Amino acid sequence: MSQKTVNASSWLFKASLLSLSLLAQTAPSISIANTQLAQQFPNVSQSSIELISTLPNFSVLILILFAEAIGNKFGIKRTILFGLGLYTIGGVLPALVSSFPVIIAARLLMGLGIGLFNPYSVSLMYRFYEGQQLKGMLGFQNTAQNLGNAAFGFLLSALIISGWRTAFTGFFVGLIPLILIWLFVTIPDDKGEMAEQAPAKASFKEAVNGHILLLALLFLITFAMFLMMTIKMAVLGQETGLFSPSAASSILALLGLASMVAALLYAPVSKLIGNFILPVSFTGIAAGFFIVANANSVATVTTGVVIAGIFFGWVFPQAFLRVAQVGPKNGGTLTTSVILMGINLGAAFAAPMVNAVAGLFGMSSVTGVLSLVGIGFTVLAIIEYIYNFFDRKPKN
C-alpha cells in the first residue's frame, strides 16, 4: 500500500485519528459512582472502591510497551480496532454483573484495550505531520481528549441518576472511534517501498534515553496528583454536603471543557513563552487545587476546578512536545509508549500513592489531600522554573 493513498490533510482523516483521544481519560470518570458502589459492596474497603476508577491504567502498562510490536505483526489498524473492542466490552460489562471480582476483571480488560490503541493516538501524529502542523495536531489531540472527558462527564451525570449500572453503559462511546477508524483511516504497512525510504528506527537505548525516563517520571507524578481532583470530587461533595454525585460529574465535565478550550490556545501560547508553559501550568493547577480545598460553596469549587482545568490543558501536549525535543527523531511508538507508561503508572496508583503520602503528613481528609496536591504542584512549578531558566539549549 502506498503512502499516496493516505490523505492525512483531509478533515475526515484528522477527525477520525483524533477520535482515539476522545477515550483517553474517560476510564477514571466512573469515580462518581464510588459512593453507590460502596453501598452496593459494603464489605469492600474504600481504597478498593476508589481503585476501580484507576484500575484500567494499571493493565494499560501490560501492553503499552508492546503495542508497536503487536502493530507491526498484525497491522496497526487491526491492533487499534481490537483495542477499541476490548475497551468497549470491558467498559460495559460491569453493568451486567453483580460480582465485584468480575467488575475488577472487566476494568482490567478495558485497560488492555487502552494499552493497544492509546500509544497510536499520538505516535501516528508524528508519522503523518511535522513542524507547526504537528504542534497544531498535538493541541487538537489534547482538545479531543478533554472534549471526550467533558462530554463523558455530562453523560455520566445523567446516567448516574438511574444507578451505577446505568453509568457503566456510558462506555459504549468506544464504538464511535471504532467505526470512524474502521471506515476512514488508512495506515500504510511498514513494508515495501515505504520501509525502504524511511530512516532506520532508533535502538531501544536511544529511544528510551535518560531524558525520556526523567520526563516519564515527571508526568507520572503530575498525573498521579492531578487525578485526585477526579477521584475525590464525589467524596468531597458527600463529606461537605455541598453537592451530589451527579453534580460532581457535571463539575468534572467543566474541568474537561476548560482544558479543551485551553488546548486550543496551546500552539500560540507555546510559541510565545516556549517551555516555560509547563511551570506556568503547574502554578495555575496548584492555585486551582488550593481554591477547591478551601471552598465553602459550589461556586468556589467550580471556580477552582475550572482554573485547574485551564492550566492542565497545556500539560499533555507539552509532554509530547518535550518528547519531540529530547527524544530521538526515529524513536517511534516506543518513545511515546514510555511517556504514556509513566502517565498511566501515575494514574493507576494515584489513590494509594497520594493517600499514603497525605497520611504521613496527617492530611488524610479530602480537603487535606487536595491541599497536599496543591503543595506538590507548587514544588514542581519551582523546579521547572529553575530548570527552564538555566536550560538555554535551542529547541527544534
Side-chain angles (χ1 to χ4, degrees), residues 200-390:
K201 288 187 177 181
S203 66
F204 180 86
K205 185 176 181 181
E206 292 171 328
V208 190
N209 58 40
H211 289 292
I212 295 299
L213 291 176
L214 283 175
L215 278 178
L217 177 62
L218 172 63
F219 291 109
L220 182 157
I221 296 170
T222 300
F223 278 76
M225 292 196 301
F226 189 82
L227 197 57
M228 299 309 290
M229 184 77 82
T230 298
I231 294 173
K232 296 294 186 182
M233 188 56 61
V235 182
L236 177 67
Q238 184 183 45
E239 286 194 2
T240 60
L242 291 175
F243 47 85
S244 66
S246 179
S249 182
S250 297
I251 292 171
L252 290 175
L254 291 176
L255 184 151
L257 284 176
S259 293
M260 181 189 72
V261 173
L264 291 173
L265 301 174
Y266 169 74
V269 174
S270 175
K271 187 176 182 179
L272 181 66
I273 63 177
N275 282 344
F276 277 99
I277 194 171
L278 194 57
V280 168
S281 297
F282 288 157
T283 303
I285 293 170
F289 269 87
F290 284 132
I291 291 172
V292 173
N294 294 282
N296 54 13
S297 69
V298 177
T300 308
V301 171
T302 303
T303 300
V305 167
V306 169
I307 290 174
I310 288 172
F311 287 97
F312 188 71
W314 295 332
V315 171
F316 205 86
Q318 181 61 18
F320 290 101
L321 183 61
R322 283 276 187 97
V323 170
Q325 291 172 349
V326 304
K329 185 176 181 180
N330 304 313
T333 308
L334 180 59
T335 300
T336 305
S337 295
V338 172
I339 301 298
L340 288 173
M341 188 172 183
I343 290 171
N344 283 282
L345 188 61
F349 298 103
M353 283 193 299
V354 178
N355 286 337
V357 175
L360 291 176
F361 290 95
M363 304 172 73
S364 54
S365 67
V366 176
T367 54
V369 170
L370 296 177
S371 295
L372 180 67
V373 171
I375 295 171
F377 274 113
T378 302
V379 172
L380 286 183
I382 293 171
I383 294 172
E384 275 290 318
Y385 277 121
I386 295 172
Y387 172 80
N388 282 286
F389 181 79
F390 289 103

Side-chain angles (χ1 to χ4, degrees), residues 20-43:
L20 284 176
S21 300
L22 292 173
L23 309 180
Q25 292 191 17
T26 53
S29 298
I30 202 65
S31 63
I32 65 157
N34 283 353
T35 54
Q36 293 187 13
L37 285 168
Q39 294 171 358
Q40 176 70 28
F41 302 102
N43 296 325

Side-chain angles (χ1 to χ4, degrees), residues 68-80:
E68 183 174 37
I70 294 171
N72 290 340
K73 182 173 179 60
F74 298 103
I76 294 174
K77 183 171 180 176
R78 288 191 187 94
T79 301
I80 292 173

Side-chain angles (χ1 to χ4, degrees), residues 11-243:
W11 70 267
L12 196 54
F13 182 93
K14 290 180 178 179
S16 300
L17 195 60
L18 289 168
S19 71
L20 284 176
S21 300
L22 292 173
L23 309 180
Q25 292 191 17
T26 53
S29 298
I30 202 65
S31 63
I32 65 157
N34 283 353
T35 54
Q36 293 187 13
L37 285 168
Q39 294 171 358
Q40 176 70 28
F41 302 102
N43 296 325
V44 178
S45 68
Q46 182 63 35
S47 60
S48 296
I49 294 292
E50 289 183 348
L51 196 60
I52 287 179
S53 59
T54 60
L55 204 56
N57 297 94
F58 173 75
S59 51
V60 164
L61 304 173
I62 299 173
L63 285 183
I64 200 167
L65 287 178
F66 303 102
E68 183 174 37
I70 294 171
N72 290 340
K73 182 173 179 60
F74 298 103
I76 294 174
K77 183 171 180 176
R78 288 191 187 94
T79 301
I80 292 173
L81 292 176
F82 185 66
L84 290 169
L86 292 181
Y87 168 95
T88 306
I89 294 170
V92 175
L93 185 58
L96 308 175
V97 299
S98 299
S99 168
F100 191 79
V102 174
I103 292 175
I104 293 292
R107 298 290 286 174
L108 289 171
L109 182 68
M110 182 184 183
L112 292 177
I114 297 172
L116 286 176
F117 70 75
N118 202 27
Y120 291 108
S121 67
V122 176
S123 66
L124 285 177
M125 292 182 185
Y126 295 141
R127 180 169 184 165
F128 291 111
Y129 308 101
E130 60 183 13
Q132 195 64 24
Q133 193 176 24
L134 174 61
K135 272 191 178 183
M137 284 299 290
L138 288 174
F140 288 138
Q141 187 269 341
N142 197 44
T143 298
Q145 181 171 284
N146 287 293
L147 175 62
N149 190 29
F152 193 69
F154 284 125
L155 175 64
L156 287 186
S157 68
L159 294 177
I160 194 66
I161 295 174
S162 299
W164 64 269
R165 291 184 187 278
T166 308
F168 276 101
T169 64
F171 288 108
F172 272 121
V173 296
L175 295 176
I176 296 174
L178 191 152
I179 293 171
L180 289 175
I181 296 293
W182 178 39
L183 293 178
F184 303 117
V185 172
T186 299
I187 304 171
D189 296 327
D190 293 325
K191 298 175 183 178
E193 177 184 354
M194 196 179 163
E196 292 173 5
Q197 294 177 353
K201 288 187 177 181
S203 66
F204 180 86
K205 185 176 181 181
E206 292 171 328
V208 190
N209 58 40
H211 289 292
I212 295 299
L213 291 176
L214 283 175
L215 278 178
L217 177 62
L218 172 63
F219 291 109
L220 182 157
I221 296 170
T222 300
F223 278 76
M225 292 196 301
F226 189 82
L227 197 57
M228 299 309 290
M229 184 77 82
T230 298
I231 294 173
K232 296 294 186 182
M233 188 56 61
V235 182
L236 177 67
Q238 184 183 45
E239 286 194 2
T240 60
L242 291 175
F243 47 85

